[in-house]
Amino acid sequence: MRSLTAALALLLASSCQGFVAPSHNSHQIITTTTPSSTQLKKQPLSRLSVATDINAVGAPGTADLPWSELGFEFRPTKSHLRMTYRDGKWQEPEMVESPYINVHIGATALHYGQACFEGLKAFAHEDGSVNLFRPDENAKRINRSGHRVMMPEIPVETFIKACNDVVKDNVAYVPPYGSGGALYLRPLLFGSGPRIGLQPAEEYTFIVMVIPVGDYYKGGLAAPVNGLIIDDYDRAAPKGVGAAKVAGNYAADLIPNMAAKKKGFPICLYLDAATHTLVEEFSTSNFIGIDNENKKYITPKSDSVLPSITNKSLQTLAKDEGMTVEQRDIEVAELSTFDEVIACGTAVVVTPIGSLTRFEENGEESKYQFTEDVGETTRRLYDTVRNIQNGEIEDTHNWNYKVE
């Protein structure tokens, strides 16, 4: 586990811009304190505890919410962080309690889709601390996405501190240890300056909103879900923006996603746009195929697939277990060889797939059946990453950042 102070010390050495301290104005302003780090202890996840010793950050889980009933949906919290890029530099960040934002009618985000976002989580530990999971990776990815659509870089240490401070300001909304929930952070970067011709804006807005969440799919890891292979639509074009977390990629999934749900399929699997013979990714999640007999973890390699931080973490854990990790093309026909199939991402963490159905042009139905219950490898990988996130086992890869 890394403390924020130690992490920023390392990042500052390679970053192009330091964090700018805010000035006083009509909004609540960010402040930072730095308590000492706390040793992690292994404890059972089933315990539900609300911290009573309020440290410099505050006690998580003190908001009046039905913690055991949280789903993955919007809930109001205390504040969001907002920062503006103007005159070639980032301005002072501030905490804003209003959930609304005034946007120019000519903003490039509205007209030309100049917008990208991230998703990460903060978890309460049994000792009362709150920890962000791999925010440095999200910082790097939002900059790759922003670069693809010509938006300014957010220095990594600035991104991490923004996440740290917005969690601290909303610590009461962090689901308590043992609840199974997390505080979901949604950083968003968009062109807020006006342009009518197709060109990048001169002004950009960066916000980080937070939402207490439970499982993305009801039941979480309790039961596999059935997916539909999509042939009538494509998620991303070859050499397009599929590998960037830009807003438009998700709009493309709305029609097929809603149509699939009406047919009884809560998740869609997309194929490569050029040939429709290769597996790419699920609607909002990366694809993983598990071959238990040969101890293989297989995931697609494609320039149209968004690099998942959860997938990257699971690959590391699979290698730790002695599994062979392969990133390569996966033919649709190869689906029949997998013992387990997983959809993974920040929101879902891990969702086991029970089956994948494909409707052929002639009306015939092909079905690839996997485990009826949660697979052993799926369960093991899920438990390991969740135990790390919850501070219940040693964080050997140094993924957790303590909120200070």
Side-chain angles (χ1 to χ4, degrees):
M1 179 181 71
R2 283 179 274 195
S3 70
L4 181 70
T5 303
L8 296 188
L10 291 172
L11 291 166
L12 281 168
S14 58
S15 181
C16 61
Q17 177 180 337
F19 182 79
V20 181
S23 58
H24 293 285
N25 60 22
S26 60
H27 298 294
Q28 181 179 354
I29 302 300
I30 297 172
T31 58
T32 300
T33 56
T34 308
S36 60
S37 60
T38 305
Q39 183 68 32
L40 296 177
K41 294 192 294 183
K42 186 176 180 179
Q43 294 290 344
L45 181 60
S46 59
R47 292 184 58 188
L48 176 62
S49 62
V50 178
T52 55
D53 295 328
I54 299 178
N55 54 29
V57 172
T62 56
D64 185 16
L65 290 175
W67 299 114
S68 61
E69 301 172 13
L70 296 179
F72 197 87
E73 59 189 358
F74 180 82
R75 287 179 183 269
T77 52
K78 179 185 177 185
S79 63
H80 69 272
L81 180 140
R82 188 182 303 176
M83 186 167 65
T84 304
Y85 182 90
R86 188 184 298 118
D87 299 326
K89 62 182 180 180
W90 286 105
Q91 308 299 309
E92 298 91 344
E94 58 186 1
M95 294 296 177
V96 182
E97 295 192 354
S98 170
Y100 298 98
I101 186 168
N102 289 325
V103 178
H104 195 286
I105 60 172
T108 56
L110 301 178
H111 295 264
Y112 301 118
Q114 202 180 21
C116 64
F117 67 97
E118 273 300 320
L120 65 155
K121 289 179 177 178
F123 299 86
H125 288 188
E126 200 261 349
D127 63 8
S129 67
V130 177
N131 290 262
L132 291 157
F133 187 69
R134 308 196 75 175
D136 53 328
E137 291 294 329
N138 294 95
K140 296 170 188 174
R141 191 169 65 177
I142 199 171
N143 282 328
R144 290 195 299 269
S145 298
H147 177 76
R148 179 62 180 83
V149 289
M150 297 191 71
M151 292 195 288
E153 179 179 338
I154 303 168
V156 173
E157 78 280 0
T158 301
F159 180 96
I160 294 176
K161 191 174 191 305
C163 293
N164 178 91
D165 290 350
V166 75
V167 171
K168 185 169 62 175
D169 201 49
N170 291 272
V171 69
Y173 293 90
V174 178
Y177 172 79
S179 67
L183 189 69
Y184 180 75
L185 285 74
R186 172 60 66 85
L188 169 66
L189 173 63
F190 65 94
S192 49
R195 292 288 195 192
I196 296 303
L198 179 58
Q199 55 185 310
E202 292 185 349
E203 178 187 289
Y204 296 85
T205 298
F206 174 63
I207 67 173
V208 185
M209 58 187 285
V210 296
I211 309 164
V213 298
D215 293 319
Y216 190 87
Y217 298 108
K218 289 183 179 180
L221 205 61
V225 301
N226 297 318
L228 179 65
I229 298 174
I230 302 299
D231 277 299
D232 296 336
Y233 297 89
D234 294 319
R235 175 190 166 272
K239 300 182 181 180
V241 293
K245 201 170 177 67
V246 295
N249 283 348
Y250 295 82
D253 180 53
L254 287 172
I255 288 178
N257 188 280
M258 294 300 108
K261 283 182 168 63
K262 288 182 180 179
K263 295 178 181 178
F265 300 98
I267 192 169
C268 300
L269 178 65
Y270 287 92
L271 307 177
D272 73 296
T275 70
H276 272 220
T277 62
L278 302 175
V279 172
E280 288 216 325
E281 68 177 323
F282 292 103
S283 299
T284 59
S285 309
N286 274 191
F287 175 98
I288 302 167
I290 301 295
D291 178 350
N292 283 322
E293 181 179 354
N294 297 299
K295 296 187 68 176
K296 288 186 176 182
Y297 175 117
I298 304 168
T299 192
K301 182 178 178 61
S302 169
D303 291 337
S304 296
V305 170
L306 179 73
S308 163
I309 295 165
T310 304
N311 194 351
K312 184 176 182 179
S313 303
L314 294 174
Q315 289 178 42
T316 299
L317 298 177
K319 290 176 183 177
D320 289 347
E321 293 185 358
M323 296 185 73
T324 299
V325 174
E326 296 179 358
Q327 286 185 281
R328 58 172 175 80
D329 289 345
I330 300 174
E331 298 275 353
V332 174
E334 192 178 352
L335 290 172
S336 62
T337 69
F338 294 133
D339 299 304
E340 304 171 36
V341 166
I342 303 168
C344 76
T346 299
V348 300
V349 185
V350 163
T351 297
I353 306 299
S355 69
L356 287 168
T357 298
R358 187 178 193 180
F359 294 107
E360 308 291 348
E361 290 184 1
N362 59 11
E364 292 185 2
E365 177 182 318
S366 300
K367 190 172 185 178
Y368 301 92
Q369 188 70 48
F370 311 110
T371 54
E372 294 184 1
D373 298 316
V374 178
E376 58 183 59
T377 301
T378 302
R379 169 67 69 180
R380 193 171 60 250
L381 290 173
Y382 174 82
D383 286 347
T384 302
V385 74
R386 292 294 284 116
N387 287 341
I388 293 171
Q389 290 172 335
N390 286 309
E392 295 170 346
I393 61 175
E394 185 180 358
D395 179 17
T396 58
H397 297 289
N398 218 24
W399 288 339
N400 289 324
Y401 282 69
K402 185 178 178 181
V403 173
E404 298 178 325

